[in-house]
């Protein structure tokens, strides 16, 4: 299975560089996982094996990091991973209704990916933009803030979702 | 009412760049600091009464003085893992004034004899990561970082590290674990970070706002800084105001300002026709204040502590009478359940338990004994774990069911919303 | 050394001790799961809470260093309440499936609940569901629901075996122990994780579902698996021996033992053993009593000229057995031709860095010492030549107890059997031995668990052990065999009774195998 997973030459070069950037090679795990995700959209188990070899670190330790941090997708997600904040200030200002509206628009449930593989919608915890509630983040892009269901759908359309 | 030290130039887009920053007095204070005796800087910070702006409110100068008095290599970590629900002031600063953080960090590092610092920024803050990263590069190019800074003989390197989605990394030893490339699980204390922190070397972890404030303390002197705020809560504080106010946002005011002034005068009050129901004064872990309490309290460490709550990160969540407290508590409990790192049993299991009870109530299956059970479980989660996340989950739970007991009882009896409130997710 | 008070009892403890160590030293019970004396401090179960006089908050005993004059207790109401709740937090997502759990009877949750808990649970919510019967590797199974996330097993693979197969993945109450794809828990120390698992989350594939632990007795012994000589406990009942576990011995094995050593119970049981004396040769075997076999072998020895006798020793017997055998052959029979059969000379100095050694004999050192003290010497080449040249008419072999570690066994049996007479003392039955062509005596001897004595390990440390149980009552120790071969008597009245052997499970035999 490991043979089916590969990374770009630039990606591997990036990882090698991160290995020398910090005081311990372990610190390269998070940036490397981000890099895998940037290239593949998610982090498959085979990537952990590859990183184990590339970083020369135990796979179990890499896997611990992978599963601890919620920004890493351990399952495939759509091209547009829509993450709507539904923590307290956003919930007070329509974050949950926004999620529902987006789910209805794309015909998916929370946590699911649309049939065409384009869109995944998730609720997330506070993203630290409570004064612009409700808000959301698509993939790892800049925040989309002060949303209404209509404005959110419009913005997503402009992005191609 | 607003006093703008740290936020003076937030309205100027050019303040984000080195050039713009320098045009407004940037890195001038650094030159001054590098000519001072490092101990004098520490003394000045002590004298200023500056307390940690991240949540715990520990005196910054005192924290620095816990470092061993020898040449052992040490690290300064800037805590920019802003994750406490309701808090966004650090992100705003990093995006609008990254250099003032960097400048504050260089002089703080100089004071404590540290040659390497990191800014640990939560991973979701992609804009902050980009902007601060670029600002560090600019600072290197201009000679504010690297070898022999401004001819002082002081060397300092700085780097950014991205978190990846874990509230617990805002806890200082959780952050250290994360920077070490591990799960962001808090470490046992003792040893404390100032003795054995990052890679078992002496380490100081300070919040973004704290480190930026150092610049202004050195610029104006401790006495001048102390003119703002109260005797024990000195200086200004950035408040993140959100919820049901007309003008949510980041506001810098002197500590000790009455909360009602912040809400009504600075943030434009509530929406027309709405009544204040409650305020969370310091992020979601701070015990909630009733409207009565909120109208009386001043925003400083002591007054809030006296009221049984805390200043925390300065995240003020204003709640009007359209909200259901059962719903809000279940939202908060969902958060702590989601974020518990899972190592200490009372927190791992307690956060899950509280989440289940509160959601069961919210879904109309509450029982009258649940209120007492929430209190009992919460009490047993407090002071029993490695870090304070367990307490952070327990405190709002106790305060919600105590202060809004009637509403919980009514809800449990009727199996549905009491007065107002959004639908449950 | 600081003096401290533990529940009012004053004790003196070593500098830098932790409070939990002080409790252990004082013999005072203290509830704990994650702390283990052989591992780093995790401080996560939060059960070893104590009240330290002068400190406002309760402290965990495992991470609190003692100080002169300190007074600690775990008997105050607040500590009791905390421990009670601490246990409840451990149990709210635990399946409480004790009736079908292998750990029942030796479970930390059960023990500590009976001692510190005994309350009515208030948890009425649905429990977190996790995977059960997870195959972690060749030796260990995992039940993720039973796991209380004490992290002992993870610390073991990180710190002791340094094999890093295990991790705790995910967070909060979704946390799970696990391995990663393509890297199972597979190392020679894997079963220590089962020992240190305080609950029934990790179970041994070899032991699970085979016995209820309360039907087992235990006996202290020394592992015969290699020259390290780990201190062990052997668990047995009237059906035989079921498992071997390590016993703490700071000078030799600390808290651990290897998986190879744990297998040493298998050849001890009836199925593998030689149960009676056998005299004859291929197709002409006569089963005789052990006494008859050994006496007639003794007669054969005594009528053979001493120069025509060759004695072959393996490093698998006790020092006491060597002493009686050397005395008999050297001093009584005046035999000069003695040989040391070393099964794996090329690997004898190997060591895995932790416990396991290439010398797969428990008492090579003891045998060498016996050779030295009786001024005996013997080279292997002379043996072969002596047999081939018909110099040696009678060869007596103190054969290996654990035959599996003698890869050259069949080949050597063939060689020995070219002598006119072969006397073979063996614990286990052997097919090669049954097909030899020369006149042969097979004499059943005891295994390490059935006799008292001592082994001298690789360090030269002499370790005594007592007899645990007897599987084959008719089997002799070498010392007894030697007495009988010499034509003397032994006290038959002092001989042990044997075990009954595996019970027939009629429920199974009537319906076929499970």
């Amino acid at each position: 299975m490991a043979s089916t997973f590969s990374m770009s030459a630039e990606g591997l070069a990036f990882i090698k560089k991160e290995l020398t950037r910090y005081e311990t090679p372990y610190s390269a795990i998070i940036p490397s996982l981000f890099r895998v995700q940037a290239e593949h959209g998610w982090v498959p188990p085979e990537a952990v094996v590859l990183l184990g070899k590339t970083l020369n670190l135990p796979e179990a330790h890499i896997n611990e990091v992978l599963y601890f941090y919620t920004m890493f997708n351990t399952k495939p997600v759509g091209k547009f991973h829509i993450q709507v904040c539904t923590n307290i200030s956003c919930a007070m200002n329509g974050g949950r209704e926004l999620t529902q509206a987006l789910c209805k628009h794309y015909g998916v449930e929370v946590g699911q990916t649309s049939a065409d593989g384009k869109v995944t919608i998730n609720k997330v915890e506070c993203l630290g933009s409570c004064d612009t509630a409700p808000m959301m983040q698509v993939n790892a892009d800049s925040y989309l803030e002060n949303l209404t269901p209509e404005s959110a759908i419009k913005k997503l359309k402009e992005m191609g979702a | 009412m607003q006093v703008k030290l740290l936020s003076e130039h937030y309205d100027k887009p050019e303040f984000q760049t080195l050039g713009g920053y320098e045009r407004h007095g940037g890195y001038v204070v650094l030159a001054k600091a590098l000519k001072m005796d490092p101990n004098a800087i520490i003394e000045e910070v002590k004298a200023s009464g500056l307390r940690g702006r991240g949540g715990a409110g520990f005196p910054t100068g005192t924290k620095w003085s816990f470092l061993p008095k020898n040449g052992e290599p040490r690290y300064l970590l800037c805590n920019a893992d802003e994750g406490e629900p309701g808090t966004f002031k650090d992100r705003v600063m990093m995006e609008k004034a990254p250099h003032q953080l960097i400048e504050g960090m260089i002089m703080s590092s100089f004071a404590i004899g540290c040659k390497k610092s990191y800014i640990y920024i939560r991973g979701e803050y992609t804009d902050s990561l980009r902007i601060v990263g670029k600002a560090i590069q600019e600072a290197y190019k201009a000679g504010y970082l690297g070898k022999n800074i401004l001819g002082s003989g002081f060397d300092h390197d700085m780097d950014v590290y991205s978190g990846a989605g874990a509230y617990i990394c805002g806890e200082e030893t959780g952050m250290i674990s994360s920077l070490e490339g591990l799960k962001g699980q808090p470490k046992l204390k003792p040893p404390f970070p100032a003795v054995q922190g990052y890679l078992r070397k002496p380490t100081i972890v300070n919040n973004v706002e704290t480190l930026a404030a150092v610049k202004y303390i050195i610029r104006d002197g401790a006495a001048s800084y102390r003119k703002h705020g109260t005797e024990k809560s000195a200086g200004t504080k950035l408040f993140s105001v959100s919820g049901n106010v007309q003008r949510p946002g980041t506001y810098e005011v002197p500590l000790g300002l009455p909360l009602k002034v912040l809400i009504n005068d600075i943030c434009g009050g509530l929406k027309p026709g709405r009544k204040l129901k409650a305020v969370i004064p310091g992020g979601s872990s701070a015990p909630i204040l009733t409207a009565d309490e909120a109208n009386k309290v001043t925003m400083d460490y002591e007054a809030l502590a006296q009221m049984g709550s805390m200043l925390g990160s300065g995240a003020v969540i204003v709640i009007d009478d359209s909200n259901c407290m059962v719903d809000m508590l279940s939202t908060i409990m969902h958060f702590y359940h989601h974020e518990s790192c899972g190592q200490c049993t009372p927190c791992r299991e307690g956060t899950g338990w509280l989440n289940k009870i509160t959601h069961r109530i919210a879904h109309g299956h509450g029982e009258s004994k649940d209120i007492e059970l929430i209190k009992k479980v919460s009490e047993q989660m407090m002071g029993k774990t490695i870090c304070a996340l367990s307490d952070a989950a327990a405190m709002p739970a106790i305060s919600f069911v105590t202060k809004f007991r009637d509403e919980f009882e009514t809800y449990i009896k009727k199996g549905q919303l009491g007065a107002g409130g959004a639908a449950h997710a | 050394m600081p003096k401290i008070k533990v529940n009012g009892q004053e004790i003196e403890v070593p500098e830098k001790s932790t409070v939990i160590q002080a409790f252990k030293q004082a013999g005072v019970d203290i509830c704990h799961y994650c702390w283990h004396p052989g591992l780093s401090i995790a401080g996560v179960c939060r059960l070893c809470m104590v009240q330290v006089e002068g400190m406002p908050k309760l402290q965990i005993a495992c991470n609190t260093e003692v100080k002169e004059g300190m007074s600690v207790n775990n008997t105050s109401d607040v500590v009791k309440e905390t421990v009670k709740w601490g246990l409840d937090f451990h149990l709210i997502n635990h399946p409480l499936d004790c009736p079908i759990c292998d750990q029942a009877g030796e479970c930390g949750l059960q023990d500590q609940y009976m001692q510190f808990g005994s309350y009515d649970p208030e948890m009425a919510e649905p429990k977190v569901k996790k995977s059960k019967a997870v195959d972690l590797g060749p030796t260990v199974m995992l039940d993720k629901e039973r796991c209380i996330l004490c992290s002992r097993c993870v610390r073991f693979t990180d710190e002791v075996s340094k094999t890093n197969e295990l991790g705790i993945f995910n967070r909060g109450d979704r946390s799970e122990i696990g391995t990663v794809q393509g890297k199972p828990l597979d190392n020679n120390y894997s079963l220590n994780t089962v020992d240190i698992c305080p609950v029934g989350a990790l179970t041994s594939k070899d032991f699970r579902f085979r016995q209820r632990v309360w039907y087992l007795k235990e006996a202290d012994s020394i592992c015969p698996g290699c020259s390290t000589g780990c201190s062990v406990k052997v668990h047995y009942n009237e059906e035989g021996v079921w498992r071997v576990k390590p016993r703490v011995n700071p000078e030799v094995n600390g808290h651990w033992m290897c998986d190879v050593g744990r297998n040493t119970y298998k050849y001890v049981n009836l199925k593998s053993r030689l149960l009676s004396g056998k005299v004859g040769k291929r197709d002409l075997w006569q089963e005789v009593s052990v006494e008859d076999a050994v006496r007639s072998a003794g007669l054969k020895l005594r009528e053979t000229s001493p120069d025509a006798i060759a004695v072959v020793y393996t490093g698998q017997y006790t020092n006491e057995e060597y002493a009686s055998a050397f005395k008999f052959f050297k001093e009584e029979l005046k035999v000069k031709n003695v040989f040391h059969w070393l099964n794996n000379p090329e690997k004898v100095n190997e060591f895995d860095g932790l416990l396991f050694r290439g010398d797969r004999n428990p008492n090579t050192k003891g045998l060498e010492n016996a050779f030295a003290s009786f001024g005996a010497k013997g080279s292997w080449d002379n043996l072969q030549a002596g047999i081939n040249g018909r110099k040696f008419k009678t060869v007596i072999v103190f054969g290996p107890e654990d035959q599996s570690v003698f890869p050259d066994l069949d080949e050597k049996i063939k060689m020995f059997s070219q002598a006119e007479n072969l006397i073979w003392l063996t614990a286990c039955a052997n097919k090669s031995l049954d097909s030899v062509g020369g006149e042969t005596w097979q004499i059943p001897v005891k295994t390490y668990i059935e006799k008292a004595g001592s082994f001298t390990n690789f360090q030269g440390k002499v370790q005594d052990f007592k007899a645990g149980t007897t599987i084959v009552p008719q089997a002799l120790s070498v010392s007894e065999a030697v007495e009988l071969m010499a034509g003397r008597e032994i006290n038959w009245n002092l001989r042990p009774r044997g075990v009954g052997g595996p019970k027939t499970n009629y429920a199974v035999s009537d319906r076929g195998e499970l």
Side-chain angles (χ1 to χ4, degrees):
Chain A
M1 267 174 104
S3 58
T4 59
F5 180 82
S6 64
M7 284 192 75
S8 69
E10 301 80 47
L12 286 170
F14 169 84
I15 291 170
K16 295 258 161 68
K17 213 173 144 208
E18 288 294 300
L19 259 178
T20 58
R21 179 170 169 182
Y22 311 101
E23 285 77 9
T24 155
Y26 273 87
S27 303
I29 296 175
I30 287 179
S32 301
L33 289 169
F34 270 127
R35 179 72 194 209
V36 170
Q37 185 153 306
E39 290 191 11
H40 291 263
W42 67 295
V43 186
E46 298 81 23
V48 174
V49 177
L50 178 80
L51 289 183
K53 286 199 189 92
T54 314
L55 300 172
N56 193 25
L57 295 173
E59 290 95 332
H61 294 179
I62 296 169
N63 214 49
E64 282 192 328
V65 172
L66 170 63
Y67 277 86
F68 189 82
Y69 297 96
T70 50
M71 285 181 76
F72 298 127
N73 304 317
T74 51
K75 289 188 190 108
V77 293
K79 190 174 168 217
F80 297 93
H81 185 198
I82 301 168
Q83 300 149 95
V84 191
C85 174
T86 52
N87 202 299
I88 191 153
S89 296
C90 281
M92 290 165 71
N93 285 287
R96 295 185 293 211
E97 292 75 6
L98 172 64
T99 317
Q100 279 168 8
L102 291 175
C103 284
K104 199 174 160 208
H105 179 78
Y106 289 105
V108 291
E109 299 281 316
V110 171
Q112 286 183 348
T113 303
S114 60
D116 58 2
K118 240 181 175 178
V119 168
T120 303
I121 299 175
N122 267 311
K123 291 189 205 170
V124 293
E125 299 299 349
C126 184
L127 289 171
S129 190
C130 319
D131 55 339
T132 63
M135 55 77 65
M136 65 188 193
Q137 186 172 30
V138 178
N139 300 335
D141 299 345
S142 297
Y143 289 172
L144 302 174
E145 300 168 316
N146 292 312
L147 298 171
T148 60
E150 297 71 35
S151 70
I153 290 166
K154 189 166 166 258
K155 280 183 186 174
L156 284 163
K157 262 192 194 143
E158 285 164 14
M159 293 163 73
Chain B
M1 288 163 291
Q2 297 189 52
V3 177
K4 295 186 175 177
L5 292 177
L6 287 76
S7 59
E8 186 185 352
H9 303 290
Y10 274 17
D11 56 344
K12 302 179 186 71
E14 62 171 9
F15 205 64
Q16 195 194 75
T17 63
L18 180 64
Y21 182 65
E22 285 175 329
R23 273 193 289 285
H24 296 283
Y27 292 107
V28 172
V29 189
L30 177 63
K32 174 185 171 187
L34 292 176
K35 289 190 189 103
M36 289 171 73
D37 173 15
N39 284 322
I41 298 177
I42 297 178
E43 287 312 313
E44 201 67 23
V45 171
K46 271 190 191 166
S48 75
L50 175 66
R51 292 166 68 169
R53 300 292 192 232
F58 194 81
T60 306
T62 310
K63 194 180 206 179
W64 290 359
S65 64
F66 291 152
L67 285 167
K69 311 273 181 291
N70 57 26
E72 202 181 337
R74 57 204 56 200
Y75 293 94
L76 175 68
L77 308 187
C78 170
N79 187 342
D81 188 69
E82 190 173 51
E84 179 77 16
T87 319
F88 47 89
K89 47 131 187 141
D90 294 339
R91 180 178 58 79
V92 172
M93 188 193 295
M94 289 188 287
E95 290 176 8
K96 293 184 186 295
H99 282 285
Q100 99 182 1
L101 168 62
I102 294 168
E103 188 178 1
M105 282 181 69
I106 302 169
M107 62 183 76
S108 301
S109 298
F110 175 69
I112 62 173
C114 150
K115 290 190 163 56
K116 177 77 186 268
S117 61
Y118 282 97
I119 306 176
Y120 183 104
I121 303 176
R122 63 179 295 191
E124 295 90 340
Y125 281 5
T126 42
D127 287 342
S128 302
L129 281 158
R130 182 174 43 80
I131 293 164
V132 172
K134 189 170 158 242
I136 290 176
Q137 293 317 312
E138 288 178 322
Y140 265 106
K141 268 196 198 137
Y144 300 128
L145 283 170
K147 297 264 175 245
N148 191 18
I149 297 166
L150 301 178
S152 63
F154 175 63
D155 305 336
H156 189 75
D157 285 307
M158 189 181 291
D159 207 344
V160 187
Y161 195 79
S162 169
Y167 165 73
I168 194 58
C169 293
E171 198 275 351
E172 59 181 16
T173 56
M175 170 168 297
I176 290 169
S177 296
S178 184
L179 183 60
E180 288 170 343
L182 311 172
K183 294 185 284 183
Q185 291 185 318
K187 294 173 191 283
L188 275 179
K189 288 147 268 195
F192 289 90
V195 182
Q196 273 185 30
Y198 175 57
L199 302 173
R200 297 184 165 263
K201 293 281 182 297
T203 301
I204 292 292
V205 183
N206 285 140
N207 173 257
V208 172
E209 186 186 345
T210 313
L211 289 164
V214 171
K215 170 187 162 174
Y216 295 94
I217 290 165
I218 300 305
R219 186 187 73 180
D220 304 338
S224 170
Y225 186 76
R226 268 194 168 285
K227 280 188 195 143
H228 312 295
T230 70
E231 172 62 26
K232 285 184 174 163
S233 298
T236 62
K237 172 88 189 83
L238 292 164
F239 285 100
S240 315
V241 187
S242 67
N244 304 127
V245 285
Q246 298 272 32
R247 288 194 298 274
T250 309
Y251 299 97
E252 186 175 10
V253 299
L255 284 162
L257 186 81
L259 177 53
K260 64 179 179 195
V261 173
L262 181 63
I263 295 173
N264 294 329
D265 302 341
I266 297 176
C267 297
L270 309 183
K271 287 197 184 100
R274 284 294 169 196
K275 260 175 58 194
L276 186 67
K277 184 172 187 181
V279 178
I280 298 173
S284 66
S285 49
I288 195 162
L289 302 178
T290 61
D292 274 356
E293 290 171 324
N295 280 322
K296 277 184 236 155
V297 80
T298 56
M299 295 302 279
D300 52 88
Y301 297 103
E302 288 67 36
L304 279 158
Q306 230 168 30
M307 199 75 84
S309 186
M310 59 189 198
L311 186 72
S313 58
V316 178
I317 303 168
V318 181
I319 301 162
D320 72 20
D321 58 352
S322 68
N323 294 280
C324 165
M325 300 318 260
V326 175
D327 179 30
M328 295 199 85
L329 181 61
S330 63
T331 301
I332 294 174
M333 291 303 105
H334 183 275
F335 171 75
Y336 289 105
H337 174 235
H338 186 257
E339 298 300 338
S340 168
C341 84
Q343 59 176 344
C344 299
T345 310
C347 176
R348 177 182 71 234
E349 305 296 338
T351 52
W353 197 353
L354 289 178
N355 185 45
K356 282 174 185 164
I357 303 171
T358 53
H359 277 76
R360 182 164 49 75
I361 299 174
H363 283 99
H365 305 293
E367 291 176 50
S368 53
K369 64 181 183 188
D370 287 336
I371 294 175
E372 283 310 307
L373 184 58
I374 288 173
K375 279 163 84 174
K376 269 198 276 183
V377 172
S378 302
E379 276 158 16
Q380 289 301 328
M381 290 167 65
M382 290 179 70
K384 303 279 163 63
T385 48
I386 290 176
C387 83
L389 190 144
S390 194
D391 299 65
M395 289 187 295
I398 294 174
S399 70
F400 268 71
V401 299
T402 308
K403 293 185 182 176
F404 295 92
R405 188 170 183 127
D406 288 351
E407 189 172 338
F408 275 82
E409 280 175 352
T410 311
Y411 195 113
I412 288 170
K413 235 176 256 163
K414 292 189 176 168
Q416 58 182 352
L417 298 186
H424 303 295
Chain C
M1 296 225 303
K3 277 200 191 85
I4 74 160
K5 269 190 186 161
V6 171
N7 289 354
Q9 175 190 343
E10 193 168 271
I11 57 163
E12 215 174 307
V13 292
E15 212 78 49
K16 302 247 165 211
S17 300
T18 56
V19 169
I20 202 165
Q21 288 169 327
F23 268 76
K24 296 273 166 192
Q25 190 188 317
V28 177
D29 288 330
I30 183 162
C31 197
H32 66 86
Y33 292 128
C34 68
W35 182 78
H36 187 283
L39 300 171
S40 66
I41 296 166
V44 296
C45 76
R46 316 305 290 181
L47 279 176
C48 64
M49 290 276 192
V50 290
Q51 201 157 33
V52 181
E53 216 165 83
M55 293 182 96
K57 284 203 325 191
L58 298 185
Q59 303 293 317
I60 47 171
C62 63
N63 195 46
T64 305
E65 229 175 72
V66 297
K67 283 197 188 75
E68 176 63 41
M70 187 185 241
S71 177
V72 293
N73 79 75
N74 68 343
T75 47
S76 72
D77 289 346
V78 52
V79 175
K80 281 187 184 160
E81 182 76 358
T82 298
V83 173
K84 187 204 96 163
W85 274 88
L87 275 165
D88 207 15
F89 283 129
H90 276 89
L91 290 171
I92 62 170
N93 281 311
H94 185 82
L96 300 173
D97 58 345
C98 313
I100 56 159
C101 177
D102 265 292
Q103 193 83 0
E106 54 182 5
C107 170
L109 285 175
Q110 288 182 330
D111 293 349
Q112 309 211 354
Y113 179 82
M114 294 312 287
Q115 202 168 352
F116 302 97
S118 295
Y119 55 85
D120 290 328
E122 294 185 76
M123 162 77 178
E125 314 299 327
K127 296 185 185 236
V128 177
K129 292 280 167 229
K130 291 180 186 172
S131 326
K132 300 174 85 75
V134 179
D135 191 342
L136 282 189
T139 52
V140 178
M141 294 292 276
L142 165 66
D143 184 319
K144 292 186 179 179
E145 289 185 346
R146 289 180 189 156
C147 174
I148 56 164
L149 297 160
C150 70
S151 79
R152 279 182 176 184
C153 56
V154 180
R155 279 177 283 148
F156 179 84
T157 52
D158 282 350
E159 297 164 9
V160 182
S161 70
K162 297 192 170 69
T163 44
N164 309 113
E165 297 104 325
L166 296 174
I168 297 179
F169 309 132
N170 217 320
R171 63 190 194 201
D173 60 10
R174 287 87 65 215
S175 302
E176 298 181 346
I177 301 283
T179 54
V180 298
Q181 177 181 308
K183 187 123 194 261
L185 174 63
D186 186 6
N187 67 68
N188 191 25
Y189 295 89
S190 65
L191 285 165
N192 289 293
T193 62
V194 175
D195 296 339
I196 59 179
C197 179
V199 298
L202 297 179
T203 48
S204 154
K205 282 188 180 176
D206 186 46
F207 181 71
R208 66 202 305 257
F209 305 142
R210 297 186 72 195
Q211 284 295 323
R212 276 308 197 180
V213 297
W214 50 85
Y215 293 131
L216 295 180
K217 296 189 181 91
E218 56 181 61
D220 290 354
S221 192
I222 300 294
C223 177
C226 80
S227 60
T228 298
C230 294
S231 292
V232 296
K233 277 187 296 223
V234 177
H235 295 245
Y236 64 93
N237 63 8
E238 70 276 13
E239 294 178 57
V241 179
W242 294 96
R243 63 178 181 184
V244 180
K245 279 179 175 270
R247 184 160 50 90
V248 181
N249 182 347
E251 289 170 45
V252 178
N253 53 305
H255 301 267
W256 322 117
M257 74 179 290
C258 74
D259 290 358
V260 167
R262 289 175 200 263
N263 268 328
T264 54
Y265 80 88
K266 288 182 179 158
Y267 65 77
V268 167
N269 283 330
L270 273 181
K271 227 170 88 183
S272 323
R273 300 290 293 277
L274 178 63
L275 302 177
S276 67
K278 275 171 128 180
V279 181
K281 57 182 154 191
R282 187 175 50 222
D283 303 331
L284 292 167
W285 288 110
Q286 238 189 320
E287 281 200 14
V288 298
S289 75
V290 176
E291 189 180 357
D292 287 349
V294 74
R295 283 197 192 281
S296 74
L299 229 81
K300 180 56 73 184
L301 280 168
R302 279 179 279 145
E303 66 185 42
T304 311
S305 127
D307 289 342
I309 297 177
V311 187
V312 180
Y313 293 102
T314 54
Q316 302 229 327
Y317 292 86
T318 65
N319 291 325
E320 294 69 21
E321 289 176 309
Y322 291 138
S324 33
F326 271 82
K327 228 169 139 197
F328 173 61
F329 287 105
K330 180 96 198 300
E331 290 172 9
E332 287 187 42
L333 296 188
K334 314 283 182 205
V335 174
K336 290 200 190 72
N337 306 303
V338 288
F339 300 91
H340 181 179
W341 177 12
L342 192 56
N343 46 327
N344 49 356
E346 67 289 346
K347 285 190 180 163
V348 80
N349 290 319
E350 282 180 9
F351 177 47
D352 72 352
L354 195 48
L355 293 173
F356 186 59
R357 288 177 192 275
D359 180 4
R360 301 291 308 278
N361 300 289
N363 206 14
T364 297
K365 200 93 180 177
L367 178 55
E368 285 169 359
N369 291 344
F371 272 104
S373 62
F374 284 89
K377 248 196 307 196
S379 108
W380 198 240
D381 297 338
N382 292 347
L383 175 64
Q384 174 106 49
I387 293 173
N388 292 346
R390 305 271 160 206
K391 182 186 169 201
F392 299 139
K393 282 205 172 104
T394 301
V395 176
I396 175 164
V397 183
F398 294 91
E401 174 176 310
D402 184 356
Q403 300 186 350
S404 70
V405 301
F406 277 64
D408 57 349
L409 183 66
D410 292 349
E411 177 199 323
K412 288 294 183 312
I413 287 174
K414 214 178 268 174
M415 175 191 134
F416 296 140
S417 64
Q418 276 151 24
E420 214 168 284
N421 308 301
L422 173 61
I423 301 166
W424 191 287
L425 287 84
T426 183
C428 296
N430 185 295
K431 282 210 175 89
S432 301
L433 209 50
D434 285 348
S435 55
V436 295
E439 201 62 39
T440 303
W441 287 256
Q442 292 188 38
I443 299 164
V445 290
K446 292 177 176 178
T447 58
Y448 73 104
I449 187 61
E450 296 163 298
K451 62 195 176 191
S454 66
F455 290 143
T456 304
N457 80 349
F458 76 101
Q459 301 159 292
K461 189 175 160 61
V462 181
Q463 305 196 92
D464 292 317
F465 55 92
K466 288 185 190 156
T469 183
T470 295
I471 309 291
V472 181
Q474 54 275 38
L476 303 167
S477 72
V478 164
S479 308
E480 288 168 335
V482 161
E483 283 302 286
L484 292 169
M485 285 192 282
R488 292 186 284 268
E489 259 318 316
I490 60 171
N491 189 344
W492 294 97
N493 293 329
L494 289 180
R495 296 193 50 76
R497 282 176 52 229
V499 298
K503 286 182 189 153
T504 310
N505 186 340
Y506 295 103
V508 175
S509 57
D510 289 353
R511 295 187 206 139
E513 287 298 309
L514 278 177

